[in-house]
Amino acid sequence: MEDIRQAVGIFVVHESDWLMIEKIKRMDADETKMESRWDIVKGGVEPGDDSLEVAALRELVEETGSDAYTIEESFDEPISFSYPHDVAEEMGYDGQSTHMFLATFQGDAEDLDPDEKEIGSVAFFDRDTFVEKIPFNDVRQYYLDHID
């Protein structure tokens, strides 16, 4: 039986712009550094999370420093994939199932204060720039199929 990591991913809209975080460090057991890249808020479900929605809201707070979010929609279809063998060994999971959400941000962008260890900055982008910056094809296609 496969051991699948449960995760959440959140598309966040504020007025007509979309939130992205600049990830500067991958957070795993050995805190392996990674090249900086823009992405949506994503992260693993933790044992204390009572639901996937709670996990999504926790990740938003951790990665942006704000709790001014409302979950608007929880999508039924996750993004699922298998890890390459070396990553599976490192992570301790064979693959991942990312449960996707749509949220709105009701706060002031000036109040966003990202986790300095993992996140370099938080910014809002217009729709076209947002879609272009999404680093993973499956996430970009999910946005185009479910939200756009």
Side-chain angles (χ1 to χ4, degrees), residues 77-129:
E77 178 186 345
I79 297 174
S80 298
F81 56 89
S82 296
Y83 289 130
H85 182 70
D86 59 329
V87 174
E89 283 189 357
E90 175 187 334
M91 300 269 307
Y93 294 97
D94 297 313
Q96 180 167 301
S97 181
T98 305
H99 305 273
M100 303 301 293
F101 294 87
L102 172 64
T104 53
F105 176 66
Q106 288 88 28
D108 185 335
E110 292 179 9
D111 294 334
L112 295 172
D113 184 24
D115 174 342
E116 294 176 15
K117 252 172 92 175
E118 182 179 358
I119 310 301
S121 58
V122 179
F124 289 93
F125 296 97
D126 63 70
R127 180 253 180 229
D128 291 343
T129 304

Side-chain angles (χ1 to χ4, degrees), residues 129-147:
T129 304
F130 173 76
V131 170
E132 182 181 301
K133 284 186 173 290
I134 295 173
F136 300 106
N137 291 334
D138 55 351
V139 176
R140 183 180 308 107
Q141 193 60 52
Y142 198 98
Y143 172 84
L144 294 171
D145 291 346
H146 293 83
I147 297 174

